[in-house]
Amino acid sequence: MYNEEFELETNLSRAIKENEFKLHYQPKLDLHTGKLSGVEALIRWQHPEKGMIFPLEFIPTAEKTGRIIEIGDWVLHTACLQNKKWQDEGLPSWIMAVNLSAQQLYQPNIVEKIQNVLDATGLPPEYLELEITESMMVDVQKVLPIIKDLKRIGVRISLDDFGTGYSSLYYLKEFPIDVVKIDKSFVRNCTLYTKDSTIIKAIIAMAHELGMGVIAEGVETKEQLIFLQQQHCDRGQGYLFSEPLSAKKLVKVYRSVEQKIHRDGKPEKMATMQLAINKDGGTLLVKAYMNLDKVQNIVKNLLDKDTLSIYGNRIYGLRGTAFIEIHKRGRCLMVHSSEKGIVSYLHKKLTDSFENVEQSSIEDIIKIE
């Protein structure tokens, strides 16, 4: 056993120098539109004698020996460089998710390191998503400032394997998390056992109320996909859609991967958004099942920037002489304007900007809430 571990440590050292590590990318699909919204970078070791070695076989040793820092730096730089290359080639702008280890996150210069990688590769920060686990957040006093600093440079934060660790609701309240990933152990049994399906429903509802996106990991059957769509889960990842692929192969097949939601999921189109104008025409209510940040940015762009004020979940400002108020609650935005023309303009712009927009009444949206 000792000899095997020593050999692995020696081989790891050589693998770093000889560039034996490769990245594969597993697609994440929007469960409403079917579009590929991002990928997760997953490391593989192409050993010259043993062939492909998967992370579970060497990451524990890398963490034990401290090699994980060097390996993690390589993964981060390579993934960002690849995403920028795809963008330069004219491919859709996907979000690149990279797993951070505890040792990486706890480095005093981690924020500076990530900023340097973004600067060196030219990747805009909004297209990098850092995945951390609940166990890494236990020391709140240490980790919370780091996460806040990472958010300040513009990257996204994803809470991986949610539901399997400490699952403290305090983390969701205090940490600026963009996405919650439902662990595959719940997804695996979501159509078999009521407890698993109930937990998934609760996670999705809670995350959406907090303004977070939700990704389900380990989607492997059509039944699981349909269940997740019915619960308005935002994105899915798993072998039903695609195994992790090389960068070259992903480019070749991503369009066919995007057809799988329509082929295997709910046959009818699902509403991505509900819109309703009140009777006097001065208020628009928006219920967004996806892209809430994009919706809010469209509304904010109506405001004259020098008049914009933010107080908690409310945004105020002027457009010319018109007063506009934006109130965010969970997955809903209420937009009120002193000029009805602005409300009707915004209603049309959102209808034209998104697929499968459903026109509703204020009462229907409130019932859903």
Side-chain angles (χ1 to χ4, degrees), residues 94-105:
W94 297 322
I95 295 171
M96 176 66 72
V98 176
N99 291 278
L100 285 188
S101 70
Q103 290 183 45
Q104 282 180 281
L105 183 65

Side-chain angles (χ1 to χ4, degrees), residues 278 280 282-284 323-327 334-338 343:
N278 71 342
D280 70 10
T283 301
L284 175 68
F323 171 76
I324 299 175
E325 174 188 357
I326 308 165
H327 181 203
M334 185 197 74
V335 184
H336 175 73
S337 174
S338 58
V343 172

Side-chain angles (χ1 to χ4, degrees), residues 46 70 89 154 178 189 201 214 219 281 315 330 342 353:
Q46 189 64 51
E70 192 173 358
E89 291 171 352
D178 298 288
N189 297 318
K201 290 177 184 178
V214 184
V219 183
I315 302 172
I342 289 177
S353 299

Side-chain angles (χ1 to χ4, degrees), residues 7-16 19-22 43-48 50-55 57-58:
E7 181 184 1
L8 183 58
E9 291 179 20
T10 304
N11 286 342
L12 270 177
S13 178
R14 187 204 66 241
I16 295 170
N19 197 28
E20 294 175 4
F21 292 116
K22 310 293 179 186
I43 192 169
R44 302 289 185 260
W45 181 2
Q46 189 64 51
H47 195 282
K50 299 178 181 179
M52 188 73 76
I53 302 178
F54 291 89
E57 299 180 52
F58 65 87

Side-chain angles (χ1 to χ4, degrees), residues 58 60 77 105-107 192 246 279 286 336 355-357:
F58 65 87
H77 185 273
L105 183 65
Y106 299 157
Q107 293 175 95
L192 301 175
S246 67
K279 291 179 181 179
V286 183
H336 175 73
E355 297 180 1
N356 306 335
V357 175

Side-chain angles (χ1 to χ4, degrees), residues 79-137:
C80 289
L81 190 64
Q82 179 61 67
N83 205 18
K84 184 61 168 65
K85 183 172 182 286
W86 283 332
Q87 291 181 359
D88 291 344
E89 291 171 352
L91 289 164
S93 296
W94 297 322
I95 295 171
M96 176 66 72
V98 176
N99 291 278
L100 285 188
S101 70
Q103 290 183 45
Q104 282 180 281
L105 183 65
Y106 299 157
Q107 293 175 95
N109 63 339
I110 182 60
V111 179
E112 181 184 356
K113 265 191 173 184
I114 291 172
Q115 183 65 68
N116 288 342
V117 169
L118 293 170
D119 292 341
T121 60
L123 181 69
E126 61 266 29
Y127 297 112
L128 174 62
E129 186 170 281
L130 302 174
E131 295 194 2
I132 62 175
T133 61
E134 294 170 290
S135 61
M136 294 161 62
M137 301 163 67

Side-chain angles (χ1 to χ4, degrees), residues 105-260:
L105 183 65
Y106 299 157
Q107 293 175 95
N109 63 339
I110 182 60
V111 179
E112 181 184 356
K113 265 191 173 184
I114 291 172
Q115 183 65 68
N116 288 342
V117 169
L118 293 170
D119 292 341
T121 60
L123 181 69
E126 61 266 29
Y127 297 112
L128 174 62
E129 186 170 281
L130 302 174
E131 295 194 2
I132 62 175
T133 61
E134 294 170 290
S135 61
M136 294 161 62
M137 301 163 67
V138 174
D139 189 345
V140 175
Q141 299 302 318
K142 180 177 182 179
V143 178
L144 184 56
I146 298 173
I147 299 300
K148 286 184 175 180
D149 286 343
L150 288 171
K151 285 298 299 174
R152 286 191 188 99
I153 67 173
V155 300
R156 295 165 56 87
I157 303 296
S158 172
L159 185 55
D160 199 10
D161 301 332
F162 185 76
T164 61
Y166 295 87
S167 300
S168 171
L169 300 184
Y170 178 80
Y171 301 151
L172 296 184
K173 181 174 77 79
E174 294 297 327
F175 283 78
I177 296 166
D178 298 288
V179 179
V180 171
K181 294 188 74 175
I182 302 175
D183 187 69
K184 59 187 175 184
S185 62
F186 298 114
V187 176
R188 184 185 305 123
N189 297 318
C190 69
T191 59
L192 301 175
Y193 302 113
T194 303
K195 287 183 178 180
D196 291 274
S197 63
T198 301
I199 289 171
I200 288 179
K201 290 177 184 178
I203 292 173
I204 293 172
M206 178 174 59
H208 283 174
E209 283 296 318
L210 293 170
M212 301 173 186
V214 184
I215 299 177
E217 295 184 282
V219 183
E220 296 182 352
T221 70
K222 296 179 182 180
E223 293 75 19
Q224 292 167 357
L225 168 59
I226 292 172
F227 169 79
L228 292 165
Q229 287 179 310
Q230 290 171 336
Q231 307 313 314
H232 293 290
C233 183
D234 302 298
R235 287 178 279 166
Q237 176 182 357
Y239 278 75
L240 177 65
F241 312 129
S242 174
E243 63 183 347
L245 304 168
S246 67
K248 186 176 181 181
K249 188 170 183 180
L250 178 66
V251 171
K252 287 183 178 180
V253 305
Y254 84 89
R255 292 192 185 278
S256 63
V257 170
E258 289 182 329
Q259 299 305 311
K260 295 188 178 183

Side-chain angles (χ1 to χ4, degrees), residues 273-277 284-289 331-333 358-369:
M273 183 185 305
Q274 290 178 289
L275 300 178
I277 296 179
L284 175 68
L285 189 60
V286 183
K287 171 74 174 181
Y289 295 107
R331 305 298 286 181
C332 274
L333 285 182
E358 183 178 295
Q359 308 302 329
S360 302
S361 67
I362 296 282
E363 293 76 15
D364 285 341
I365 296 180
I366 291 173
K367 283 178 186 177
I368 292 172
E369 280 294 288

